[in-house]
């Protein structure tokens, strides 16, 4: 911004200087002064072609030069043979200055209108025309600089895709066996697991052009524009084959056709299906698409001959999280055991792990530390998982309720060995929910942890706070699924009343457990009152002394 302002000032100054120079050149008197004798001789020998009179001088113009002499030295008789023109210099200057003034004012007004957005291309050009221009631009490939070495924890996925990479590098080897390259690869997995990076790594490893489009970019408000965009994309890829087309969030354009009218989306989907059918075996183009909602995709997209191969990219395991964290910590000065961080990040995807490392680095900088430590990760983990929330201002009584509530939760979580590393008094959640397959006793352990705070407050104070709502809702949801969906009641088709019986049983078992651990609860409460945090290791150490 500073540079552009300086350039503008320099431009205005240059323009002003040019105007001054032009005025000087036009108004400067270039005539040579001569004597009366020379003037008389010139007039008598008829070498003067024209005579111009001004207020102070008489100008004698010959074929080669212009001469001047003071008006007081020339008499009217000397000029009787010439037609004398009167020079109105003041009028010429006035007209010229007036023109410069008008042009200057006009320029300033135009600039002011542009600055205040009164006169702009957005107001002159309609949005429809502008939109059509944007989408008429040619589609160009992207040079991918992402390698598989930049992505940690995807060894299984890499093995699935290496065959495609090898095919694009050595097509003759596969054609000699009569094998054809898969026309489409569908990457399926939750958000943030690195599906886009995987596609870019494939393009980089194969050394081919990479064409990236999001599914939403095909969804246009004008009928035919989305289909046209699809055709342009595939034409560009075929003209530069071998190449890779990557369509991110394909569910935006590839949803099931349910018979309801949506002419533009259906036309775009039909064009996509047609283009994938039109691939010749020798076209050298492969389509990679990504989605986290495979169940909503149209069956025509999923049939053989379109997306021949499906690769499921799941949330990283502990070993894969450690590998990802190692990648992100390479350029960060740290004193961290990646396995410890991997243990505390159950349920994190690759993007969340990147954000966690970044937040820990920023915290270390704010605290003027020389290295990132495990303590920094403890402090920022909840911010990455659940977002930063403004802490409530608690009265002393409310704080004691919260201390008891959190103490009971952390004791149950440690007793049942649920995944967490540290509890903060301000934590709303202790451990992340997971969709992984869980055994019945694991689900029951989680429900007990969620009920522990309510149980402890009811034991000590005969009441609990409204802040228990979040844990109670999650406990009810788990019990609902156990009975209605997972068949974990007395029979696979359990009755509705079993939900209440299961919740009551888990509540009583949690009460019995906590009543037997009053010494541990008092210890944890004292630590939370003093430090407002406690680690799993500290609680486990105390439990081992009691049990």
């Amino acid at each position: 911004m500073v540079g552009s302002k300086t350039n503008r000032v320099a431009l205005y100054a240059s323009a002003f200087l040019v105007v001054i120079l032009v005025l000087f050149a036009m108004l400067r008197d270039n005539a040579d002064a001569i004597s009366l004798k020379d003037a008389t001789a010139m007039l008598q020998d008829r070498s003067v072609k024209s005579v111009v009179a001004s207020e102070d001088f008489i100008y004698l113009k010959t074929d080669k030069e212009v001469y001047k002499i003071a008006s007081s030295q020339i008499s009217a008789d000397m000029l009787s043979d010439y037609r004398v023109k009167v020079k109105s210099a003041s009028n010429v200057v006035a007209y010229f200055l007036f023109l410069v003034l008008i042009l200057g004012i006009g320029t300033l007004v135009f600039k002011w209108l542009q600055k205040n957005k009164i006169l702009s291309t957005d107001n002159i050009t309609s949005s429809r025309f502008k939109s059509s221009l944007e989408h008429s631009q040619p589609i160009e490939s992207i040079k991918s600089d992402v390698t598989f070495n930049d992505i940690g924890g995807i060894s299984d996925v890499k093995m699935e895709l290496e065959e495609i990479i090898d095919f694009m590098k050595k097509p003759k080897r596969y054609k000699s066996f009569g094998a054809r390259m898969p026309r489409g690869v569908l990457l399926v997995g939750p958000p943030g697991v690195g599906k886009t990076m995987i596609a870019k790594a494939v393009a980089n490893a194969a050394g081919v052009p990479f064409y990236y489009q999001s599914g939403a970019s095909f969804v246009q408000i004008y009928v035919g524009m989305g289909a046209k965009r699809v055709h342009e994309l595939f034409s560009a890829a075929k003209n530069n084959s071998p190449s890779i087309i990557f369509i991110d969030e394909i569910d935006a354009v590839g949803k099931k056709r349910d018979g309801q009218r949506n002419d533009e989306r259906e036309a775009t989907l039909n064009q996509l299906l047609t283009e994938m059918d039109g691939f010749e075996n020798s076209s050298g183009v492969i389509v990679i698409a990504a989605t986290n909602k495979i169940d909503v995709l149209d069956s025509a997209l999923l049939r053989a001959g379109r997306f021949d191969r499906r690769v499921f990219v799941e949330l990283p395991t502990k070993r894969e999280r450690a590998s990802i964290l190692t990648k992100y910590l390479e350029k960060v000065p740290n004193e961290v055991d990646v396995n410890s961080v991997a243990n505390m990040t159950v349920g994190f995807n690759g993007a969340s792990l990147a954000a966690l490392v970044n937040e820990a680095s920023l915290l270390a900088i704010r605290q003027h530390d020389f290295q990132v430590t495990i303590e920094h990760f403890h402090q920022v983990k909840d911010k990455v998982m659940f977002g930063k929330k403004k802490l409530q201002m608690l009265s002393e009584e409310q704080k004691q309720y919260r201390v008891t509530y959190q103490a009971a939760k952390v004791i149950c979580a440690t007793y049942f060995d649920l995944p967490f590393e540290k509890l903060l008094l301000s934590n709303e959640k202790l451990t992340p929910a997971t969709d992984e397959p869980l055994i019945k006793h694991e689900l029951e352990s989680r429900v007990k942890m969620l009920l522990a705070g309510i149980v402890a407050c009811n034991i000590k104070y005969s009441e609990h706070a409204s802040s228990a709502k979040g844990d109670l809702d999650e406990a009810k949801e788990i019990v609902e699924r156990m009975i209605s969906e997972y068949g974990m009641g007395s029979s696979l088709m359990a009755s509705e009343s079993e939900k209440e019986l299961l919740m009551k049983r888990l509540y009583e078992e949690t009460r019995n457990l906590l009543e037997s651990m009053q010494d541990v609860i008092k210890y944890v409460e004292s630590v939370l009152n003093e430090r407002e945090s406690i680690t799993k290791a500290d609680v486990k150490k105390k439990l081992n002394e009691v049990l």
Side-chain angles (χ1 to χ4, degrees), residues 321-360:
R321 290 197 300 274
S323 175
I324 294 170
L325 287 164
T326 301
K327 293 288 182 185
Y328 288 130
L329 286 168
E330 281 179 352
K331 297 181 180 179
V332 177
N334 69 89
E335 196 177 63
V336 176
D337 177 13
V338 291
N339 290 317
S340 298
V341 182
N343 281 332
M344 62 185 277
T345 51
V346 177
F348 275 56
N349 56 39
S352 298
L353 292 171
L356 180 69
V357 173
N358 187 59
E359 289 292 342

Side-chain angles (χ1 to χ4, degrees), residues 513-526:
L513 176 65
L514 293 177
E515 283 179 343
S516 66
M517 294 187 176
Q518 289 301 306
D519 291 342
V520 182
I521 290 178
K522 289 178 182 178
Y523 166 76
V524 175
E525 285 179 335
S526 65

